[in-house]
Amino acid sequence: LSVSQETINKPLLIVAGAGTGKTATLCSRVAHLILNGVSPKSILVITFTNKAANELRERLQGLLLESRGDVVSSGSLAGLPLATTFHSFCYQLMLRYFDQVGYSAPPAIITSDTEKMALLKLVVYNLKDYSLLKQCEYIIKVGQKELVTATPPDVHGRWETVRAYAKGLGYDPSKAGVSRSFNDSFKFIKRASDRESSESVQELLSEHRHLHKFLYMHYESNNQQKSIPNADGDAVPDFRQILDTIHKAKAADYTPSDYLGEFRQMYMGYERLKRQLNLIDFDDMLVLARAILKVDRVREAVTEKYKYLLIDEFQDLNKLQMDIVVQLQGQHGHITAVGDERQSIYGFRGAQSSRNFGIFFEKFIDGHGSISDLGLSGTYRSLTTNYRSSPSIVEFGNHVISASIDRGRCGEENSDQLLKRLRVDLHACGEYAPEANVPIRVWRFASELDEAKHIAREIQWLTEINQCTYSDIAILCRCLRVGAYSVSSNLQKQLLQLGIPVRVLGGRALIKAAEWQNFLALLRVIANPRDDIAMRKCLEKLVIGVGSASIAKIESISAVPGLAIPGNTRAGSMVTTAASNQVKQEELNAEDDVVPADLDVPFIEKICHAVAQKGLIPALACKNLKQFVESLADARAKLDKDVLIEDWVIETYRYFMTPQGQRTTKGGGSEDSAKDPKIEILQDFISSFLTTHIHLFAEWGIEIRTDSSPDSVNDAKPALPEGYHSQQDQNGVFADQGDRVRVPCTMRVLQAFIAHVSLVSGSTEDKGEVHTPSQSASQGSQQDHEDGSKKGTEAVTISTIHQAKGLEWPVVFVPHFNEGFLPMSPRKPNDYSTPVSDGDSNNNHNRALAAKTRNHYEEERRLAYVAVTRSRQVLYVSSVKHFRATPILTWVLERVCLDHSIEEGRDEVPFSRYLPKQATKSGSLGKNGHCMVEFTDWNAYGSACKEP
């Protein structure tokens, strides 16, 4: 509480260790601002997950309601501050200021890997095709220069010129297989797997490759001096690796111009194609938001509106996010940042914790920035009391994390000094009873199967003596799978055999299910019929009778005469031709041998042409396509027609997501569907959307209904004051929770709703997939609790450490605490991962590689720290001495770090380097004796593990 009540108009950095009450401190800080006269609508609270944002809002509401008797009378309570995620805030900037970065309408968000992969494959294969074309043209140039000077500018026309020249030399197209241009093969590309064979690629470009081979052989036979290499068209790049590298490049603020060669072309082509289709991904939100805030008048308006900024999980900001923070508060200093460098575990997403804290100290605390000129140098405070865990666990965590300081790393003096400044050892709450200080259990097993068996038996024993329930227990793994080896499979098998249900975190969230992704694509098509990616998905998934053959025929249409398109699809060409000065358009428009996909004819126009041209596609497909396009136009026409967003979305879902043969009315659905659980989920999406966007509706001048308002929008009450996130009266008193907010469905509201659902679908939040034992086994394991509930309705959690961040359990197991698993070995750098600035010399490249390796192992240490500090009362840490699976044993022994030397012929996997050496002996750990360790080597018992 004392930390949260620091001076409100100066920067404040709070380093909150594990279990020290970070969220409570942040909420208290917000309440302190409001109680001291700061308007809630001028406060912006940014966190990283929707779950955390919702928790913040709920806690804030509770704190303010407790104090509202003192506040309402003065009229200073005007709702809740805006608590949102970084990406949601950035997209809200896009909704307001999209025109500042070269768009004429808000772009749609792509979240699924399938869509990103389709775009990248479109670019990569187009580059391959273009490479073949250039070599063919070079051959023609050698043989007949005048033919080249007359070639048309478009790629298709250039290939026709090449083909005509080859025919004059005796080329026979009938022997080249099916002739397909690159863009006409979009469906094949979209469906191709990441590991598609070279034969599949050869099929894709078969005709062009055959044509190139013919010309090359002709050139080779007529030119003794061979001056051109044969085109390498068979190599299939790792698309997932390319996407991952692009993601990391953006997070580190690297642009295509920072790279050379093939990756530069792929990166640039990927960005250009997204802009051409009016699409953005999560990384683009940050890039574009930063560009928007570079516009002086926009930045001034935003900082004037949100004068106070509070940031949760400050250690997880990447370079782009930190730049945005500095743009928002660099000249004001009304900023509170809460974080913990020890819990920075998202370096693979671009998080740069040391840089973030270093910049904050420099600009806001140590007096080197513009804030010092205003006399606003800030304060740094540490929270050091852990209220969550026992003294043994707290001290054990201190030992795990502290070994990374004072290691004498060359060239890291500044970094080490920063760590010493940030890392203060935690201590347990003094109210913790000494008898409750359970020792840390450190186990060593002969094999991974023995480890799984013993953990399962220990859990069974803990629950049988009613010390805890299944939901009180978690098993945290560095990862669930290493190559072909499943880390969690033995654990799941042994638990289920004992009748213990298991919840696995790391699966697919509900919103990522195929049905919801299909509905999201449908909404995108209604909002923008020229969204070709979403349109293809709708045809494949929602239109009966339209298969791969029909789509291929539609895609083969290269020119469309004048058509009457239902819904006026040409009305919204989404991207302005004038480039914004705030975006590096020169990189998007530079030729650099990057050929954008041939999307001059929108897919919707090809569909309408296919429907109008009888006989091109089967009659059933033609009929259903026509109905589908007309239904899209009808749904679009209902926008801005005094219909509520909730009614419009549910009606659209019921109609389009019902199979075409089962639709009764265009209104869709019987009364029974009101109880459909999917409709309830959809209503939850709508409710959360209205709650988090109500301040935008007020800005847009949209009048808002409630359940108690008049039926007509025109007769409704005035829009709620900006900043409201619950229905309130003008005195700030919260209305009945059943009084829902209702908003008319305009195009702008629909675009915002699509973005909201996309942001939710892209969240890493995962409620887990529950695996239950067979009925016969589970019957014996279910026991009545004192409250009459059944233990069988709960489940033991198996989770990755990343998924467990922010969670806690009374009992935690950390298995496979071995070298090669925790820490994992760093990935080998790929061919694209080093920018020009980092790799312009061998020395620079080696230094960069060494720094990445060092940072990797430091992050692995922080992962170990996060894992052990998830436990409140009991912690088990176990390792395996011998792995029965020979491939994984070889994999581990080949990759353990060099400072753990392996003797020739040795097959023993060492303990993790993060396990304190003293922990391999029973007794106290450290000098103060607060951490008690109970070490057991189960190797002596072999496969027959001793009972707990």
Side-chain angles (χ1 to χ4, degrees):
L1 183 61
S2 62
V3 172
S4 66
Q5 292 180 351
E6 292 283 346
T7 305
I8 64 174
N9 290 322
K10 289 187 177 182
L12 174 61
L13 175 62
I14 303 173
V15 175
T20 57
K22 170 180 64 69
T23 304
T25 303
L26 188 64
C27 293
S28 297
R29 179 67 173 174
V30 176
H32 179 67
L33 293 175
I34 295 175
L35 293 175
N36 280 271
V38 176
S39 171
K41 67 181 181 180
S42 66
I43 300 175
L44 172 63
V45 185
I46 294 181
T47 185
F48 275 82
T49 66
N50 293 300
K51 179 182 178 181
N54 293 333
E55 182 182 357
L56 281 170
R57 281 192 290 268
E58 291 173 1
R59 289 202 185 190
L60 284 173
Q61 181 173 326
L63 285 174
L64 295 176
L65 284 174
E66 289 178 5
S67 306
R68 71 178 186 183
D70 300 327
V71 180
V72 171
S73 58
S74 65
S76 61
L77 178 61
L80 294 178
L82 174 61
T84 184
T85 65
F86 237 113
H87 288 91
S88 180
F89 171 72
C90 290
Y91 192 77
Q92 289 181 30
L93 288 180
M94 281 292 295
L95 289 175
R96 294 187 183 98
Y97 305 111
F98 54 83
D99 58 320
Q100 298 297 316
V101 284
Y103 292 88
S104 62
I109 304 172
I110 52 173
T111 59
S112 71
D113 290 340
T114 303
E115 291 179 324
K116 295 176 186 176
M117 208 78 72
L119 289 172
L120 183 61
K121 289 175 181 177
L122 194 61
V123 171
V124 171
Y125 288 136
N126 198 37
L127 288 171
K128 287 181 176 292
D129 189 66
Y130 190 58
S131 176
L132 292 174
L133 175 61
K134 289 197 301 178
Q135 288 205 14
C136 290
E137 289 179 330
Y138 180 85
I139 296 172
I140 296 175
K141 182 178 180 180
V142 172
Q144 194 173 352
K145 293 183 179 181
E146 64 275 9
L147 187 62
V148 177
T149 59
T151 55
D154 63 292
V155 174
H156 289 299
R158 289 164 67 180
W159 271 117
E160 288 300 323
T161 301
V162 170
R163 189 176 289 107
Y165 177 82
K167 286 181 179 179
L169 299 176
Y171 171 69
D172 186 0
S174 63
K175 297 180 180 180
V178 180
S179 174
R180 289 195 269 181
S181 69
F182 170 72
N183 190 53
D184 295 340
S185 302
F186 183 95
K187 190 201 73 61
F188 170 80
I189 297 172
K190 188 170 184 295
R191 287 194 167 189
S193 65
D194 298 341
R195 299 179 180 178
E196 60 191 336
S197 63
S198 60
E199 289 80 11
S200 298
V201 180
Q202 188 173 5
E203 178 188 358
L204 175 67
L205 302 174
S206 59
E207 199 269 340
H208 289 171
R209 182 166 295 118
H210 189 275
L211 179 55
H212 170 270
K213 185 176 181 180
F214 173 85
L215 289 173
Y216 185 85
M217 292 179 66
H218 176 78
Y219 172 88
E220 193 176 38
S221 62
N222 290 279
N223 294 271
Q224 294 182 355
Q225 183 180 4
K226 305 170 186 176
S227 58
I228 61 171
N230 197 359
D232 180 16
D234 292 334
V236 181
D238 187 335
F239 295 106
R240 192 169 300 278
Q241 185 182 74
I242 296 171
L243 280 177
D244 182 63
T245 305
I246 291 176
H247 163 70
K248 291 179 179 179
K250 286 188 179 180
D253 199 22
Y254 289 126
T255 63
S257 61
D258 292 315
Y259 296 86
L260 295 175
E262 184 183 21
F263 179 70
R264 175 177 182 168
Q265 296 177 340
M266 292 186 290
Y267 187 179
M268 189 180 299
Y270 179 68
E271 296 304 303
R272 294 181 66 187
L273 182 56
K274 282 188 299 179
R275 179 165 281 261
Q276 186 177 354
L277 293 173
N278 196 50
L279 300 173
I280 60 175
D281 56 26
F282 278 86
D283 300 315
D284 295 328
M285 294 184 206
L286 303 177
V287 174
L288 294 172
R290 186 181 62 172
I292 288 172
L293 290 174
K294 288 181 180 179
V295 182
D296 291 340
R297 66 175 185 83
V298 174
R299 184 179 62 257
E300 291 170 1
V302 175
T303 55
E304 178 65 25
K305 177 179 179 181
Y306 298 114
K307 296 180 180 179
Y308 293 83
L309 174 64
L310 296 94
I311 305 172
D312 191 17
E313 305 290 1
F314 181 69
Q315 75 279 354
D316 292 333
L317 271 63
N318 62 29
K319 186 178 184 301
L320 291 172
Q321 292 164 332
M322 191 64 203
D323 289 350
I324 292 172
V325 169
V326 173
Q327 285 177 312
L328 291 174
Q329 285 296 326
Q331 302 297 321
H332 303 282
H334 301 160
I335 179 174
T336 299
V338 183
D340 183 18
E341 183 274 336
R342 289 164 287 198
Q343 299 185 72
S344 176
I345 59 174
Y346 293 105
F348 66 94
R349 293 181 184 169
Q352 300 180 3
S353 60
S354 295
R355 180 180 182 272
N356 298 339
F357 285 102
I359 289 176
F360 198 100
F361 277 116
E362 178 184 352
K363 289 187 174 293
F364 299 112
I365 294 180
D366 293 339
H368 301 305
S370 58
I371 296 301
S372 60
D373 299 334
L374 303 176
L376 296 178
S377 295
T379 304
Y380 161 52
R381 299 288 298 273
S382 290
L383 304 180
T384 60
T385 302
N386 184 310
Y387 298 93
R388 173 194 299 161
S389 304
S390 69
S392 285
I393 295 173
V394 173
E395 187 65 24
F396 189 78
N398 288 339
H399 279 274
V400 168
I401 197 64
S402 62
S404 60
I405 303 181
D406 296 326
R407 297 185 63 178
R409 296 174 307 205
C410 180
E412 290 296 305
E413 291 82 2
N414 293 335
S415 177
D416 285 344
Q417 290 301 319
L418 179 63
L419 291 182
K420 291 178 180 179
R421 191 174 184 180
L422 292 172
R423 291 185 183 174
V424 180
D425 283 351
L426 303 184
H427 59 270
C429 177
E431 300 177 358
Y432 211 98
E435 61 273 11
N437 188 23
V438 180
I440 308 296
R441 271 63 179 260
V442 179
W443 291 342
R444 181 74 157 159
F445 293 96
S447 70
E448 72 275 18
L449 183 58
D450 289 348
E451 181 187 48
K453 287 181 178 179
H454 201 84
I455 289 176
R457 292 174 184 175
E458 185 79 4
I459 291 174
Q460 185 183 46
W461 176 74
L462 289 172
T463 55
E464 283 178 350
I465 65 173
N466 288 324
Q467 185 170 341
C468 59
T469 64
Y470 293 145
S471 59
D472 292 333
I473 303 172
I475 303 173
L476 305 184
C477 306
R478 170 61 180 85
C479 56
L480 299 184
R481 181 174 292 276
V482 179
Y485 175 69
S486 175
V487 178
S488 62
S489 61
N490 283 326
L491 291 165
Q492 292 186 55
K493 186 182 301 182
Q494 295 301 321
L495 288 168
L496 293 175
Q497 284 180 359
L498 294 179
I500 300 173
V502 178
R503 174 180 290 107
V504 180
L505 295 182
R508 295 171 62 90
L510 176 64
I511 186 60
K512 294 184 180 179
E515 181 176 5
W516 294 112
Q517 290 297 309
N518 295 341
F519 182 59
L520 182 59
L522 175 72
L523 295 181
R524 283 169 47 187
V525 167
I526 294 174
N528 175 21
R530 298 170 70 93
D531 187 339
D532 290 358
I533 302 292
M535 180 64 80
R536 284 175 171 86
K537 176 178 283 190
C538 288
L539 260 60
E540 291 178 358
K541 305 297 182 181
L542 302 180
V543 182
I544 295 177
V546 177
S548 57
S550 297
I551 294 178
K553 290 180 180 178
I554 295 173
E555 289 172 337
S556 66
I557 300 173
S558 59
V560 177
L563 289 174
I565 308 297
N568 191 21
T569 60
R570 283 193 178 273
S573 181
M574 292 293 126
V575 183
T576 59
T577 54
S580 169
N581 292 330
Q582 302 303 326
V583 179
K584 296 182 179 179
Q585 288 293 329
E586 66 274 10
E587 293 180 2
L588 299 179
N589 297 328
E591 175 64 22
D592 199 28
D593 290 340
V594 177
V595 181
D598 182 13
L599 300 174
D600 295 336
V601 182
F603 196 55
I604 180 65
E605 296 186 12
K606 292 185 178 184
I607 293 172
C608 294
H609 180 69
V611 171
Q613 183 178 346
K614 295 182 179 180
L616 180 63
I617 56 177
L620 177 62
C622 184
K623 175 185 175 182
N624 290 337
L625 266 179
K626 181 179 180 181
Q627 181 184 356
F628 179 73
V629 172
E630 291 175 349
S631 298
L632 289 178
D634 291 344
R636 186 180 175 89
K638 291 180 181 179
L639 300 175
D640 303 311
K641 299 295 184 182
D642 196 19
V643 59
L644 300 178
I645 180 68
E646 181 176 5
D647 296 338
W648 185 91
V649 170
I650 292 176
E651 177 184 334
T652 302
Y653 177 86
R654 287 174 173 169
Y655 178 71
F656 283 96
M657 302 308 290
T658 301
Q660 284 181 298
Q662 302 175 20
R663 297 172 185 168
T664 54
T665 64
K666 286 199 175 183
S670 62
E671 295 299 327
D672 294 338
S673 63
K675 300 179 181 179
D676 187 345
K678 295 178 181 179
I679 297 296
E680 293 178 0
I681 294 172
L682 194 56
Q683 289 172 331
D684 289 340
F685 288 150
I686 299 170
S687 177
S688 66
F689 164 68
L690 296 176
T691 299
T692 55
H693 287 71
I694 196 168
H695 64 289
L696 276 181
F697 305 147
E699 283 186 11
W700 295 342
I702 298 175
E703 293 184 312
I704 304 170
R705 302 183 196 180
T706 65
D707 288 345
S708 58
S709 302
D711 291 337
S712 171
V713 172
N714 296 327
D715 296 333
K717 297 178 182 179
L720 300 178
E722 184 180 353
Y724 276 68
H725 290 280
S726 297
Q727 179 64 20
Q728 303 162 347
D729 64 20
Q730 296 302 310
N731 292 323
V733 180
F734 288 85
D736 185 358
Q737 294 296 322
D739 204 15
R740 294 177 299 174
V741 176
R742 302 194 174 211
V743 175
C745 188
T746 65
M747 177 59 74
R748 202 170 189 182
V749 171
L750 175 60
Q751 290 169 339
F753 177 72
I754 294 170
H756 173 76
V757 178
S758 298
L759 288 167
V760 173
S761 70
S763 172
T764 58
E765 189 175 328
D766 181 14
K767 296 183 178 180
E769 180 181 359
V770 178
H771 302 268
T772 57
S774 62
Q775 185 66 25
S776 59
S778 60
Q779 284 176 349
S781 67
Q782 289 184 351
Q783 299 176 8
D784 290 327
H785 285 242
E786 293 180 0
D787 60 0
S789 64
K790 292 286 185 181
K791 197 181 304 182
T793 61
E794 302 171 343
V796 172
T797 298
I798 296 180
S799 172
T800 64
I801 300 173
H802 286 98
Q803 287 285 352
K805 177 73 165 58
L807 304 177
E808 59 185 61
W809 293 268
V811 181
V812 169
F813 292 82
V814 184
H816 280 40
F817 209 69
N818 292 88
E819 285 295 312
F821 291 97
L822 186 59
M824 291 283 290
S825 300
R827 294 181 179 179
K828 294 181 180 179
N830 58 55
D831 297 334
Y832 319 118
S833 59
T834 304
V836 177
S837 57
D838 291 347
D840 53 0
S841 71
N842 288 333
N843 289 335
N844 286 346
H845 176 76
N846 292 335
R847 281 198 296 267
L849 186 59
K852 288 180 181 179
T853 301
R854 182 178 58 249
N855 292 336
H856 167 82
Y857 282 109
E858 288 304 314
E859 179 154 320
E860 292 293 301
R861 182 183 298 278
R862 295 192 291 268
L863 271 168
Y865 174 77
V866 169
V868 300
T869 55
R870 297 309 93 196
S871 176
R872 293 203 295 263
Q873 299 170 4
V874 186
L875 173 64
Y876 298 83
V877 176
S878 60
S879 68
V880 176
K881 188 173 184 179
H882 302 279
F883 281 85
R884 296 181 179 181
T886 302
I888 191 61
L889 172 62
T890 304
W891 190 92
V892 170
L893 293 180
E894 286 178 351
R895 289 165 173 78
V896 293
C897 196
L898 296 178
D899 59 0
H900 284 75
S901 59
I902 302 173
E903 299 175 1
E904 186 176 355
R906 177 182 174 184
D907 62 351
E908 180 179 319
V909 182
F911 277 108
S912 169
R913 71 189 69 184
Y914 306 138
L915 183 73
K917 293 182 179 180
Q918 294 171 277
T920 58
K921 301 178 182 179
S922 297
S924 61
L925 179 65
K927 297 180 180 180
N928 56 25
H930 291 165
C931 181
M932 302 301 297
V933 176
E934 184 181 284
F935 176 74
T936 306
D937 190 344
W938 294 105
N939 289 291
Y941 299 99
S943 299
C945 291
K946 185 179 178 180
E947 294 295 334

